[in-house]
Amino acid sequence: MDSFAIGGGMQLLLVFDHVIAASDAYFSLPAAQEGIVPGAGNFRLGRAGGPRLSRQVILGGRRVWATEPDARAVVDEVVEPGELDAALERSVRSLQGPAVLTNRRMLNLAEEPPEEFRRYMAEFALQQALRIYGQDVLNKVSRFTVRPS
């Protein structure tokens, strides 16, 4: 993670096998401030960092800096910005073993059973559909529409 991971970028961090962050980087999920639900962020961040961190990030809009202790829920390794490429190469080499793919599948099944994910996504789809037409969301979106002259 170079600089920041916001919204969808942070959600990707929650599924990567090894996250390397620059020491000056941060992550956040600002969807609630935008009036919507942050995809699977609610589902995964609570599992990774616990309910308190998830409330602070999702409900409060907290930015978590890579060097903070709470970042360990999402970030595996913090390096200086100039060391990102070398850290990435080390990480790729460490994940090239013949059993990595099989073990990844088993970890996925243990950490995120498909039935739970499907149940969450069904509720997410309903809630997001309701929020998209909320007046607050429509007002924010209307700022970006082209008005006829």
Side-chain angles (χ1 to χ4, degrees), residues 38-103:
N42 289 341
F43 183 72
R44 292 184 173 131
L45 182 58
R47 290 168 179 236
R52 183 64 42 215
L53 178 63
S54 22
R55 284 183 182 96
Q56 292 170 3
V57 172
I58 294 167
L59 301 178
R62 176 178 169 200
R63 286 183 177 182
V64 179
W65 293 89
T67 54
E68 291 181 45
D70 283 340
R72 296 298 298 172
V74 177
V75 174
D76 297 292
E77 184 179 353
V78 179
V79 299
E80 291 305 311
E83 299 172 16
L84 276 172
D85 290 341
L88 177 62
E89 288 176 24
R90 280 192 310 276
S91 179
V92 167
R93 279 193 303 275
S94 75
L95 293 172
Q96 289 181 342
V100 168
L101 202 57
T102 302
N103 281 293

Side-chain angles (χ1 to χ4, degrees), residues 85-138:
D85 290 341
L88 177 62
E89 288 176 24
R90 280 192 310 276
S91 179
V92 167
R93 279 193 303 275
S94 75
L95 293 172
Q96 289 181 342
V100 168
L101 202 57
T102 302
N103 281 293
R104 182 71 213 121
R105 171 139 176 77
M106 298 311 293
L107 286 167
N108 282 349
L109 289 171
E111 294 168 359
E112 191 173 286
E115 314 77 54
E116 287 184 41
F117 185 70
R118 279 193 284 274
R119 188 178 66 236
Y120 173 85
M121 292 308 289
E123 184 66 21
F124 162 74
L126 171 64
Q127 295 303 322
Q128 192 73 309
L130 294 171
R131 285 302 310 139
I132 284 176
Y133 295 105
Q135 194 57 53
D136 61 316
V137 175
L138 293 173

Side-chain angles (χ1 to χ4, degrees), residues 16-46:
F16 288 159
D17 290 322
H18 190 82
V19 175
I20 303 165
S23 59
D24 60 351
Y26 69 89
F27 57 83
S28 68
L29 289 169
Q33 286 72 42
E34 297 165 0
I36 57 175
V37 180
N42 289 341
F43 183 72
R44 292 184 173 131
L45 182 58

